Amino acid sequence: MDLPIDHFRLLGVSPSADAQGVLRTLQSRLDRVPHGGFTPETLQARADLLRASADLLCDHDRRAAYEAELTGLADTDGSLQPALEIATTRQVGGLLLLMEGGQPHDAFELASRCLQLPQAPTLGSGRETDLTLLAGLSCLEAARELEEQRRFEAAARTLRQGLQLLQRLGRQPELRETMNARLDRLTPYRVLDLLSRDLAAGAERREGLALLEQLVQRRGGLEGDGDPHFPPQDFQTFFHQIRSFLTVQEQVDLFSRWAASGSEAADFLATIALTASGFAQRKPERIADARNRLQRSGREGVEPLLANLHLLLGEADTARACFDSGASQDLKAWAAGKSDDPLGQLCAYCSDWLVRDVLPGYRDLEAEPDLVAYFSDRDVVAYVEREDQRRGRAYLSAPAPAAPAAAAPPPFPSFETPGFPAAEFFSPATSAPGGFPPLPPTGPATDPDDDGEPDDDVPLRWPVPPRPWLLAGGAAVLLLAGAWVVRQRQSAPPPPPPPAPLPAPAAKPPAAAPAPSPGPAIGQSLTPLTSPRPDAAQVRRLLENWLTIKGDVLAGGPMPQGLDRIARKGPVDLLASERRSDAARGQTQRLDVRISDLTLSESGPRRIVAVARLRYSDRRLDANGTVVETTPPMELRNGYVFGRDGDSWRLAATQSLN
């Protein structure tokens, strides 16, 4: 037999060790017996091989020749590997040394080969006993190494091979029991290994899903505690991790099956997965299934969540009734701070719920909580209109115009139901091993890290602009969504906010309109605002610089270099997009914008909200310089959000407050 190892590794010495070091290592290895179950013959063969290697390495001439051979093998680019030829009588001892030398997988494969016909030893002989013991020990050690490399499925495959070998021989019951226990302990890691693979690896993912179902069944269900080797706290941590590797459809299917078996937690999780799928894929029918499932559950404290589902289905009147009857006073106060309009309050709460609890945690889902895009989708519009016609909803007149919103309070839970099903399974996978956070609050999003990064700390907090024609019911939601801009904290930067709406252009004049009266001169500057706590005058100068640059660009000027020093990517991209659109039509714009008043409605270390009154007019010119449209002078009221990035303040978003 050829052992795939050299004399240095077999003895366990460095190639630079001298003769004294070799002899000391030899004595240490002889004194340490690897396992008490081997026969004296195998232990003697092991000792003889160790001494033979030490003799060679202590002989100067023989060692020099051997090292030359190793050097020659190294020059073959790995096509040849060193090996030691050993006699048949010393095979088991050699395999034992191979395992001790850090090559348990090779030792296991060679031992398994020796136990197969025609090399199989005589049944009941000492050689068979030693080979089966060696196969079991090397199998466990090889699996341990694979675990350390996080190759959990390969470790399980090795353990299964070892079990089959020992079961066939009917040997080593203690080792078989240890292997079975290791296999059971590996199951969660195998699930993670298999489900974390690419979605194209269909067979592996199906095996992972099957193992997950076996794991849950062994526990006695999602809320069960029937697996002594997998306590609830560990299972919850595992479940947090596993959700992010499952697609939304896999979660719908799994949780629905578990819910059919009586799991309340799975029933609630299926509701959330159906909502995520319906919202992201623009399939209101799935949201209707989620609403029906939540209604059938008969749980207390879910009225605010039902309100969100009714809202997403265009059932605004029912949503308002659910929210009014079930929301806590804290949640109602927060919603009132978002808008005086009841539908605006529902939109604020629904978008926050989507970003916190519904859309995160799916392998194949990357969706923004954008109600505008959702209610603009033709399938959603068709569903709402169809349901309106089928149910014959009565549309009511609009509520009173909304007043400016109050500042949002600190985060709070949207509902508090002790022991609410699925609470322990619903948090993001961020808990430390051995711990498990409670159900995250579904109140307003915050910026706990306060890092000032783009799109993290500047959610818009203005009310929904009032519309005198706003209706209740499905049509109301469709109209409202067009005015509701959702800006919530996301792991990926959300799309830039829409530009502030411009007033409707006046009728085309018979001749070129006279140039508007010029306002006070505003010098174009890209000097960033670096004051830690700027006052209103400093913020006004920064905004004036932005408005001047915007006017120059829309008039056909180039985008200045370094514009990102005073504005974030969203506003800059919107300006560039508007200019490209005008250029494609062969047009330019002449804006006249003057700030008549500016106040700071919010001033913090990382975020400033300014409310500005503007005198505004514009002209649109074609390629020949002929005026094609004009907007007469009028007063606008806009809100501007500034975020601090590092030491500089930059414009982050704009919203019309008219």
Side-chain angles (χ1 to χ4, degrees):
M1 172 184 287
D2 289 335
L3 289 182
I5 194 171
D6 59 56
H7 285 293
F8 291 101
R9 286 186 293 135
L10 186 140
L11 189 58
V13 297
S14 169
S16 61
D18 59 13
Q20 291 299 320
V22 169
L23 293 176
R24 284 194 300 270
T25 302
L26 170 64
Q27 190 59 49
S28 175
R29 295 290 301 278
L30 292 176
D31 292 341
R32 292 199 311 268
V33 179
H35 193 282
F38 290 103
T39 63
E41 291 79 9
T42 293
L43 295 178
Q44 184 60 50
R46 171 183 177 271
D48 292 343
L49 290 171
L50 287 172
R51 289 191 182 96
S53 291
D55 290 344
L56 184 145
L57 297 179
C58 288
D59 187 307
H60 181 270
D61 295 336
R62 293 173 63 200
R63 177 171 177 170
Y66 182 67
E67 289 177 344
E69 291 179 7
L70 293 180
T71 302
L73 290 176
D75 293 338
T76 62
D77 299 327
S79 58
L80 296 177
Q81 297 293 328
L84 301 179
E85 184 178 356
I86 59 174
T88 303
T89 55
R90 294 181 176 179
Q91 281 182 348
V92 184
L95 293 176
L96 182 54
L97 287 173
L98 189 62
M99 181 180 69
E100 294 180 66
Q103 297 177 231
H105 192 79
D106 291 331
F108 173 60
E109 287 191 349
L110 290 172
S112 300
R113 192 182 306 165
C114 291
L115 287 167
Q116 304 291 335
L117 294 174
Q119 303 180 53
T122 304
L123 293 176
S125 65
R127 177 178 169 81
E128 184 200 38
T129 301
D130 285 345
L131 279 173
T132 53
L133 175 59
L134 177 63
L137 293 175
S138 58
C139 173
L140 288 170
E141 182 63 19
R144 185 192 64 79
E145 286 190 356
L146 290 169
E147 285 184 54
E148 291 179 352
Q149 299 167 13
R150 303 188 66 80
R151 298 172 58 192
F152 301 114
E153 185 58 21
R157 184 167 55 250
T158 301
L159 288 171
R160 287 196 300 269
Q161 291 172 353
L163 267 174
Q164 293 171 359
L165 177 64
L166 298 186
Q167 287 170 351
R168 178 176 62 81
L169 297 171
R171 293 278 187 171
Q172 304 297 333
E174 297 85 359
L175 287 180
R176 298 206 305 267
E177 184 176 345
T178 302
M179 290 178 184
N180 274 316
R182 291 275 291 276
L183 267 175
D184 287 341
R185 188 179 63 81
L186 271 177
T187 300
Y189 301 98
R190 293 177 61 200
V191 173
L192 285 169
D193 185 347
L194 292 166
L195 292 182
S196 64
R197 300 187 184 187
D198 192 90
L199 293 177
E204 290 84 354
R205 291 186 60 79
R206 285 192 294 272
E207 184 179 358
L209 289 170
L211 283 173
L212 177 59
E213 296 218 52
Q214 293 174 15
L215 190 63
V216 172
Q217 291 173 2
R218 192 168 67 196
R219 291 178 50 78
L222 200 58
E223 305 97 322
D225 190 17
D227 188 350
H229 303 294
F230 206 9
Q233 195 171 20
D234 292 342
F235 178 75
Q236 291 159 6
T237 302
F238 158 77
F239 190 80
H240 291 170
Q241 295 174 322
I242 205 65
R243 279 194 66 200
S244 62
F245 293 115
L246 297 172
T247 66
V248 64
Q249 188 57 52
E250 288 169 346
Q251 292 195 32
V252 169
D253 294 340
L254 277 176
F255 298 149
S256 297
R257 284 198 296 272
W258 296 344
S261 301
S263 171
E264 291 188 1
D267 187 51
F268 182 75
L269 291 172
T271 299
I272 298 299
L274 281 168
T275 304
S277 174
F279 182 85
Q281 300 170 7
R282 307 300 190 246
K283 295 181 178 179
E285 296 80 4
R286 288 203 154 201
I287 297 177
D289 291 343
R291 176 203 59 194
N292 297 338
R293 183 184 287 273
L294 194 58
Q295 287 175 330
R296 288 195 304 267
S297 69
R299 303 186 188 102
E300 297 180 356
V302 298
E303 288 82 3
L305 304 188
L306 278 172
N308 289 332
L309 296 174
H310 285 300
L311 179 71
L312 293 174
L313 294 171
E315 301 165 355
D317 47 356
T318 308
R320 288 169 58 179
C322 283
F323 187 82
D324 292 342
S325 66
S328 66
Q329 292 302 316
D330 285 341
L331 179 56
K332 289 179 179 178
W334 175 83
K338 293 293 184 180
S339 173
D340 286 347
D341 178 71
L343 289 180
Q345 296 171 8
L346 289 176
C347 281
Y349 174 56
C350 182
S351 63
D352 191 82
W353 178 62
L354 289 170
V355 75
R356 281 180 173 275
D357 296 342
V358 176
L359 296 179
Y362 304 94
R363 176 73 174 269
D364 60 339
L365 205 63
E366 293 184 5
E368 298 290 342
D370 190 342
L371 294 181
V372 176
Y374 173 79
F375 282 113
S376 300
D377 184 84
R378 63 180 183 181
D379 291 337
V380 176
V381 173
Y383 175 88
V384 173
E385 291 177 347
R386 184 171 64 250
E387 288 300 299
D388 282 347
Q389 295 172 1
R390 186 174 68 84
R391 299 184 183 185
R393 294 191 184 117
Y395 297 140
L396 307 176
S397 58
F412 51 84
S414 61
F415 61 92
E416 297 178 4
T417 305
F420 191 84
E424 67 272 28
F425 301 105
F426 198 59
S427 301
T430 56
S431 59
F436 195 81
L439 181 67
T442 53
T446 59
D447 181 20
D449 55 3
D450 197 27
D451 59 0
E453 288 298 320
D455 304 312
D456 282 352
D457 54 354
V458 287
L460 301 185
R461 296 179 181 172
W462 295 297
V464 175
R467 294 291 184 268
W469 33 259
L470 196 60
L471 305 175
V477 180
L478 293 176
L479 295 175
L480 177 64
W484 183 255
V485 180
V486 180
R487 295 278 294 179
Q488 294 291 354
R489 180 175 181 161
Q490 289 287 286
S491 58
L502 298 178
K508 180 178 178 180
S517 57
I522 301 175
Q524 185 181 120
S525 172
L526 293 174
T527 303
L529 175 59
T530 58
S531 173
R533 298 301 287 265
D535 57 21
Q538 292 171 304
V539 173
R540 177 171 179 158
R541 285 195 294 272
L542 178 61
L543 179 57
E544 288 174 340
N545 289 335
W546 165 256
L547 294 176
T548 299
I549 293 170
K550 179 177 179 179
D552 292 343
V553 171
L554 293 180
M559 289 285 289
Q561 295 293 326
L563 187 54
D564 58 354
R565 300 175 68 187
I566 66 170
R568 287 183 176 173
K569 186 176 185 297
V572 172
D573 288 349
L574 282 174
L575 176 59
S577 175
E578 186 174 1
R579 177 62 200 129
R580 286 194 300 269
S581 178
D582 287 347
R585 295 194 296 265
Q587 297 178 349
T588 57
Q589 299 184 52
R590 300 292 190 271
L591 308 183
D592 180 51
V593 186
R594 293 180 293 170
I595 301 175
S596 58
D597 180 65
L598 184 143
T599 58
L600 302 183
S601 65
E602 179 180 339
S603 180
R606 313 300 299 183
R607 167 191 167 94
I608 292 175
V609 179
V611 178
R613 292 190 179 276
L614 310 171
R615 288 292 297 171
Y616 176 88
S617 64
D618 69 34
R619 294 177 299 154
R620 184 176 291 275
L621 290 74
D622 63 15
N624 298 322
T626 304
V627 176
V628 295
E629 289 180 356
T630 63
T631 299
M634 65 184 305
E635 185 171 290
L636 299 178
R637 183 170 175 266
N638 285 353
Y640 298 91
V641 178
F642 298 87
R644 192 176 187 197
D645 303 327
D647 295 328
S648 301
W649 291 92
R650 297 193 295 168
L651 177 67
T654 303
Q655 174 76 10
S656 172
L657 300 181
N658 282 346

